[in-house]
Amino acid sequence: MSIPSILLNNGVAIPQLGFGTYKLQPAQTRDLVLRAFEAGYRHVDTAQMYRNEREVGEAVAASGLPRAEVFVTSKLNNAFHAHDDALAAFDRSLEELGTGYLDLFLVHWPMPAVGRYTEAWAALEEILASGRARAIGVSNFQPAHLERVLETGTVAPAVNQVELHPYLRQDAVRAFDAAHGIVTEAWSPLGRGSVLGDPVIAEVARRHGVTPAQAVLRWHVQRGDVVFPKSATPARIVENADVFGFELPDADMSAIDGLNRDERTGSHPDTENRTDR
Ligand code: NDP
């Protein structure tokens, strides 16, 4: 099984489907990331906040895969938007991961109440220029936050990673991203499991002889977004990557589109202001 890649705005290729690691305990992370590599994943999404960077890095090393064949993303934690703090936090990530460089480094949340995300972005631009990250981007940025980054920065974000699933279609954010050459990454692509019992999704899945999770992940893939479902269950890790052997016709894509309720499972980017994690 081979997972297609998408080109970012600086020419770096990102595998369209990766492995999410939020909520994986450090003790289980190495083994599960290795299972993901065995299942064909070549892209892992972690963050300073998840406290499992070290174990993700151990899995990359233990996999025996050439470093260039693995795409690793991490994210700047919320307490470190000040310029020097951001640089130091990036150094700690690289040390924890032991991967030599990062493929993608993101500002995790805009934290508008703190008001320093453009300062954090300037630090990420320096990291990019140093070659220690191949691409930089943002996460949970609303169009208004992105506008400020585009105005004050010199490099446009390569990606915007936002909560996105059939109950939260994110039309406005996706349209803004697309208009500015920013790839949209969908976090919680399964709505943390909340969308999997939906009868419309069950019916689409039944018609194609796939599971509800596969139908939803295929919907994301056909929309052109990047996804990284998380699972601590080995059989689901395999299942979630097996979404490139069937295609949803327009009618099924529209049926899933129609489920939008603007319903979040996580925080709203305009009000998230926690720096304690
Ligand atoms: P997901 O939408 O990936 O859902 C994960 C949940 O779905 C888990 O409970 C998992 O259970 C279950 N699940 C996974 N596969 C299946 C399946 N095939 N059938 C049934 N249930 C399944 O949620 P996440 O919040 O983890 O999002 C994915 C990734 O996005 C994160 O791991 C992280 O990397 C990133 N993320 C980024 C955020 C940001 O602010 N930038 C915020 C949140 C997430 P089990 O594990 O028990 O198998």
Side-chain angles (χ1 to χ4, degrees):
M1 188 215 35
S2 130
I3 295 172
S5 288
I6 288 181
L7 278 192
L8 302 176
N9 57 15
N10 67 350
V12 167
I14 182 170
Q16 193 180 5
L17 186 139
F19 185 57
T21 65
Y22 181 45
K23 297 259 164 90
L24 291 187
Q25 296 306 310
Q28 61 179 169
T29 299
R30 178 182 183 276
D31 186 45
L32 291 167
V33 173
L34 274 171
R35 283 179 183 268
F37 288 142
E38 278 162 26
Y41 295 72
R42 292 292 180 269
H43 165 184
V44 185
D45 183 86
T46 183
Q48 294 168 355
M49 197 182 284
Y50 306 167
R51 302 191 191 286
N52 57 20
E53 289 173 302
R54 179 173 296 274
E55 293 75 14
V56 167
E58 284 171 8
V60 172
S63 72
L65 291 166
R67 173 67 186 88
E69 284 183 24
V70 182
F71 192 100
V72 182
T73 300
S74 192
K75 316 185 191 89
L76 179 70
N77 219 345
N78 293 341
F80 305 133
H81 282 197
H83 173 269
D84 292 357
D85 291 348
L87 294 181
F90 177 82
D91 287 346
R92 283 197 298 278
S93 271
L94 264 196
E95 200 182 310
E96 290 280 308
L97 283 157
T99 49
Y101 60 88
L102 270 175
D103 295 282
L104 180 61
F105 193 57
L106 310 180
V107 179
H108 203 148
W109 288 89
M111 308 287 289
V114 173
R116 299 184 87 162
Y117 58 84
T118 56
E119 185 177 338
W121 185 252
L124 264 62
E125 289 188 350
E126 286 176 34
I127 291 165
L128 178 73
S130 78
R132 290 173 304 149
R134 296 173 67 225
I136 53 173
V138 296
S139 178
N140 299 301
F141 275 43
Q142 298 282 83
H145 309 133
L146 279 170
E147 268 166 7
R148 283 205 60 212
V149 166
L150 293 169
E151 272 164 29
T152 59
T154 55
V155 176
V159 311
N160 184 19
Q161 180 180 126
V162 295
E163 180 177 354
L164 203 167
H165 45 72
Y167 291 163
L168 182 66
R169 226 170 47 198
Q170 293 273 30
D171 289 349
V173 170
R174 283 181 88 246
F176 188 95
D177 290 350
H180 295 84
I182 299 168
V183 167
T184 300
E185 296 191 330
W187 66 253
S188 292
L190 306 174
R192 298 193 172 139
S194 68
V195 303
L196 299 179
D198 192 287
V200 169
I201 290 170
E203 177 55 22
V204 169
R206 193 196 57 75
R207 270 203 290 280
H208 295 276
V210 299
T211 66
Q214 288 172 322
V216 170
L217 293 168
R218 183 70 209 175
W219 172 81
H220 285 286
V221 164
Q222 285 183 215
R223 280 156 52 98
D225 296 339
V226 172
V227 278
F228 22 80
K230 169 265 178 185
S231 180
T233 313
R236 290 176 175 172
I237 293 175
V238 173
E239 172 188 327
N240 292 345
D242 186 12
V243 298
F244 298 97
F246 67 102
E247 181 134 0
L248 299 181
D250 290 348
D252 289 339
M253 291 295 291
S254 305
I256 300 179
D257 283 347
L259 298 176
N260 182 50
R261 311 168 176 172
D262 292 334
E263 183 178 287
R264 291 178 190 274
T265 67
S267 306
H268 194 290
D270 285 334
T271 50
E272 169 66 40
N273 61 4
R274 292 178 55 183
T275 53
D276 61 339
R277 49 182 193 170

